[in-house]
Amino acid sequence: MKVEIVENKNLASIKVASLLHQQILKKKNSTIGLATGNTMVGVYDAFKVLVKEHKTDLSNVQFFMLDEYWEISIDHPASFKSYLLNALAGLNISPSQFHFHRTDLKEEEATEHYNKSIEAAGGIDLQLLGIGLNGHIGFNEPQTPFSQTTHVIELTESTILANAKDFMGANPTHAITMGIKNIMDAKSIVLLALGESKAEIMKRALQGSIDIDCPASILQKHKNLDVVLDQLAASKMAPRSAVESRV
Ligand code: GLP
């Protein structure tokens, strides 16, 4: 695991965008797992700047969505699909390059379809991740078995509340998400956390025991994990480890 602590959230977003950009320069036909949430907004902005500056060819890249709300239309303005199309607008990515979750199918078909699409693409080369306040990654809430692949999950109260502002009352209570096994199978993972609200859970995830109470703790076992934190998100890490990993 490589942990990079940078001064502020803008620099952290630029760092993650540049890891993503380098992956695509290294392998034109990369498969990228994309995350959503407020944390990622600055990453996609910085990524767009890099792609435009370098005239990077994205035409062979495939993009996979980490997760999606289950019981709203995929084209709802607050869906993760809408978020992402908006975040990457202007990059001339063809719709066929995006793999969205099939929330129009029955649960079993939708999950099988997604696992098979990832497999058919040869797996995920780089998976971007944010983290929920309770340590969820994607929508893998605490107690989700580490062995699970794509599945539909009931959201916890704290996650429903954290996302409520997007829904004006009709908050979705279920979501479809890549499972922890899909995430851990990615060849590389970049985890970004920003702000003081994430400090406690980052300490738990990176320096606590590995168990299903904190889904993100399993990432400690990944062979190719980059963690990028701003100073606030790193503020509760045990000083010795935090200093050692500072670059
Ligand atoms: C959401 C998403 C996660 C995201 C997390 C953090 O529920 N399912 O993929 O990482 O919450 O979101 P934010 O970046 O807004 O704090």
Side-chain angles (χ1 to χ4, degrees), residues 1-6 9 11-17 19-20 32-36 39-40 43-44 66 125-140 183-184 186-195 198-207 214-222 224-230 233-234 237:
M1 167 181 8
K2 186 172 163 215
V3 183
E4 186 160 356
I5 300 164
V6 295
K9 75 176 197 181
L11 293 175
S13 303
I14 292 169
K15 174 70 200 174
V16 172
L19 290 171
L20 171 58
I32 306 293
L34 296 172
T36 56
T39 309
M40 292 295 156
V43 173
Y44 297 128
L66 180 59
D125 288 310
L126 185 150
Q127 178 65 54
L128 286 180
L129 287 182
I131 186 167
L133 292 173
N134 59 5
H136 72 227
I137 45 176
F139 269 132
N140 292 283
I183 294 172
M184 289 298 282
K187 293 173 192 100
S188 64
I189 297 178
V190 179
L191 169 66
L192 173 65
L194 301 174
K198 300 288 170 73
E200 194 61 51
I201 197 64
M202 285 314 300
K203 176 185 154 86
R204 168 75 183 86
L206 299 186
Q207 299 178 329
C214 177
S217 64
I218 189 67
L219 298 174
Q220 294 178 35
K221 287 200 164 173
H222 197 276
N224 198 0
L225 169 69
D226 278 287
V227 182
V228 181
L229 304 173
D230 65 0
M237 304 262 284

Side-chain angles (χ1 to χ4, degrees), residues 18 29 56 95 105 132 147-148 183 194 219 229 242 246:
S18 101
N29 62 345
T56 314
L105 298 177
S147 58
Q148 222 166 355
I183 294 172
L194 301 174
L219 298 174
L229 304 173
R246 224 173 267 265

Side-chain angles (χ1 to χ4, degrees), residues 115-197:
N115 288 331
K116 285 199 168 145
S117 309
I118 296 173
E119 207 183 301
I124 304 285
D125 288 310
L126 185 150
Q127 178 65 54
L128 286 180
L129 287 182
I131 186 167
L133 292 173
N134 59 5
H136 72 227
I137 45 176
F139 269 132
N140 292 283
E141 298 281 31
Q143 312 312 321
T144 307
F146 289 150
S147 58
Q148 222 166 355
T149 55
T150 308
H151 60 284
V152 173
I153 192 162
E154 186 171 2
L155 301 173
T156 61
E157 202 57 39
S158 76
T159 304
I160 294 172
L161 282 176
N163 297 326
K165 60 182 181 333
D166 299 329
F167 289 100
M168 295 189 297
N171 306 335
T173 56
H174 290 74
I176 182 167
T177 181
M178 276 189 204
I180 291 181
K181 173 146 191 349
N182 303 108
I183 294 172
M184 289 298 282
D185 282 347
K187 293 173 192 100
S188 64
I189 297 178
V190 179
L191 169 66
L192 173 65
L194 301 174
E196 207 175 353
S197 67

